[in-house]
Amino acid sequence: MPNVGPWEIILLLLLALLLFGAKRLPEIGRSMGKGMREFKDSVSGITSPESHVETHAIPEAVAVPVNDTDAKA
């Protein structure tokens, strides 16, 4: 089996850029990274869901004090 040299890697990167475009490549890399991380965690036996789960905080309602002088005006 022949070795993969730098010219082959450059050719594959250019081909991926032409096929998917510059906007999609970061999305593809991010999703592949998440998949590889999940696979590694499942193989190694890590079971804590807090380790790599993205959480989005829900903002609480902000209480605005009501001034009585504003209500009368």
Side-chain angles (χ1 to χ4, degrees), residues 5-72:
W7 292 112
E8 287 86 4
I9 293 174
I10 292 171
L11 180 68
L12 288 174
L13 290 174
L14 286 174
L15 183 65
L17 181 62
L18 287 174
L19 286 176
F20 298 112
K23 290 184 179 182
R24 284 286 311 249
L25 284 180
E27 295 173 10
I28 292 170
R30 197 171 311 129
S31 65
M32 286 180 62
K34 281 183 183 180
M36 288 173 26
R37 187 180 315 122
E38 287 178 11
F39 178 76
K40 184 182 86 171
D41 289 347
S42 67
V43 168
S44 64
I46 296 176
T47 57
S48 67
E50 304 89 33
S51 61
H52 295 292
V53 174
E54 294 181 14
T55 58
H56 298 285
I58 299 172
E60 295 181 18
V62 179
V64 179
V66 177
N67 196 352
D68 289 337
T69 58
D70 291 340
K72 294 177 184 177

